[in-house]
């Protein structure tokens, strides 16, 4: 009996060890420090920050062209999706035929309503024109004026509305006048929405002093510590002066402190800008 017990003991110990290893692995998976979704989101934000930083260094026409193309692609995808999901093969809004002998202005309105109620290809075209023109003109106005304001927003809306009118209503008797009228309507609505958004949004003027620091933290995957930078008033002008003790004072852990200081040391543009 004693020999049989001795033979069973190693098996018992091996089974116990195997169960402990499996439990440890399970705990490692369940309590892992890396969240795939958060990691993917951080990479996307870092990529976006890198693209924005690259575009900011390019001439105005290059940035405007890239922004317009991206906006047009996004608008085409959205319009095509809306046209596909709409009932009756993309007829999102049933538009009755215009009455006989209608006024030319009424006919123009009917033409635009039919454009908005068209199929996936029509809506993809119209949304691509609107979003692409809006994004491109907004980019140019921001470069010229140095700030995003209601004037730039209204100018972008006017341009997108006028181009939408020309694309969707080429058969109207007076396309130029109709384009101007549509552009003005777009500009008024966009300006109103911009003013309402400014009224109810919190002031973000202090964020302009942390743009380079925010971009740096996003590249390192440390965007959660942006609030620490703002709490300690560590603006872009102080990046070249940062020390371990300064980062420790704003409650940033040792690991992120080392990454931040190493990044600043290796990035000559970050130090030259200050």
């Amino acid at each position: 009996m004693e020999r049989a017990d001795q033979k069973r003991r190693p098996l018992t110990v091996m089974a116990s060890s195997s169960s402990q290893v499996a439990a440890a692995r399970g705990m490692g998976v369940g309590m892992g420090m890396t969240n795939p979704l958060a990691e993917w989101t951080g990479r996307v934000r870092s990529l976006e920050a890198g693209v924005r930083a690259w575009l900011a260094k390019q001439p105005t026409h290059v940035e405007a062209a890239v922004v317009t193309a991206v906006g047009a692609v996004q608008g085409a995808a959205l319009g095509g999706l809306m046209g596909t999901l709409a009932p009756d093969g993309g007829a999102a809004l049933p538009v009755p035929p215009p009455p006989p002998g209608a006024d030319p202005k009424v006919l123009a309105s009917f033409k635009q309503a039919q454009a908005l109620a068209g199929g996936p290809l029509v809506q993809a075209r119209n949304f691509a024109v609107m979003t692409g023109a809006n994004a491109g003109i907004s980019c140019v106005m921001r470069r010229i004026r140095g700030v995003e304001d209601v004037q730039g927003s209204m100018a972008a809306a006017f341009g997108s509305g006028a181009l939408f009118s020309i694309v969707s209503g080429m058969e109207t008797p007076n396309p130029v006048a109709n384009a101007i009228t549509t552009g003005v309507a777009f500009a008024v609505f966009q300006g109103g929405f911009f003013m309402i958004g400014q009224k109810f949004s919190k002031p973000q003027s202090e964020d302009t002093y942390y743009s380079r620091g925010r971009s740096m933290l996003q590249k390192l995957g440390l965007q959660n510590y942006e609030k620490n930078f703002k709490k300690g008033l560590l603006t872009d002008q102080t990046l070249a002066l940062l020390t371990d003790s300064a980062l420790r004072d704003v409650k940033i852990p040792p690991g992120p402190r080392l990454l931040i200081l190493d990044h600043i040391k290796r990035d000559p543009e970050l130090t030259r800008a200050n």
Side-chain angles (χ1 to χ4, degrees):
M1 294 293 292
E2 184 176 355
R3 290 182 178 178
D5 292 341
Q6 290 177 354
K7 290 181 179 180
R8 282 195 295 266
R9 283 177 185 173
L11 297 176
T12 306
V13 172
M14 291 175 62
S16 176
S17 301
S18 299
S19 62
Q20 290 177 359
V21 171
R25 288 178 178 176
M27 291 178 64
V29 173
M31 300 176 62
M33 298 300 293
T34 59
N35 186 343
L37 180 59
E39 184 178 358
W40 181 82
T41 304
R43 289 181 179 179
V44 171
R45 290 180 178 176
S46 177
L47 179 62
E48 290 179 352
V51 172
R52 286 195 297 267
W54 177 81
L55 286 176
K57 299 176 183 178
Q58 305 306 312
T60 302
H61 65 277
V62 174
E63 182 181 7
V66 174
V67 171
T68 300
V70 173
V73 171
Q74 292 177 344
L78 177 60
L81 180 62
M82 291 178 60
T84 303
L85 297 179
D88 298 331
L93 298 172
V95 181
D103 185 83
K105 294 183 179 179
V106 177
L107 288 175
S109 300
F110 271 106
K111 288 289 184 181
Q112 291 182 359
Q114 289 174 351
L116 288 174
L121 293 179
V122 174
Q123 293 206 36
R125 178 200 65 188
N126 294 337
F127 273 83
V129 169
M130 286 190 294
T131 57
N134 195 295
I137 298 174
S138 295
C139 172
V140 174
M141 294 298 295
R142 185 171 60 251
R143 279 290 190 99
I144 294 175
R145 301 178 63 85
V147 66
E148 291 187 8
D149 53 9
V150 64
Q151 288 84 358
S153 179
M154 293 181 68
F158 176 86
S160 62
L163 286 177
F164 164 73
S165 175
I166 293 173
V167 171
S168 62
M170 288 185 176
E171 299 178 1
T172 56
N174 194 348
V176 176
N178 189 49
I180 295 175
T181 304
T182 306
V184 170
F186 272 54
V188 170
F189 279 110
Q190 183 74 9
F193 282 123
F194 188 92
M195 297 298 292
I196 293 174
Q198 274 194 332
K199 184 177 181 180
F200 290 99
S201 64
K202 295 181 179 180
Q204 301 290 334
S205 58
E206 72 277 3
D207 287 350
T208 57
Y209 300 105
Y210 300 92
S211 59
R212 298 185 68 86
R214 185 187 308 111
S215 177
M216 175 189 68
L217 293 175
Q218 289 177 347
K219 289 180 181 178
L220 297 174
L222 303 175
Q223 55 270 14
N224 292 336
Y225 296 106
E226 182 181 345
K227 59 181 180 298
N228 301 68
F229 270 59
K230 292 181 179 180
K231 186 176 181 180
L233 299 180
L234 300 180
T235 62
D236 292 347
Q237 294 181 347
T238 66
L239 292 181
L241 307 174
L242 284 182
T243 60
D244 185 78
S245 60
L247 295 173
R248 185 171 58 246
D249 290 341
V250 294
K251 304 299 192 321
I252 296 180
R257 293 204 303 266
L258 292 174
L259 292 176
I260 292 171
L261 293 175
D262 181 70
H263 180 82
I264 294 176
K265 185 188 304 182
R266 294 172 180 271
D267 192 345
E269 292 187 2
L270 204 58
T271 54
R272 274 203 307 266
N274 298 287

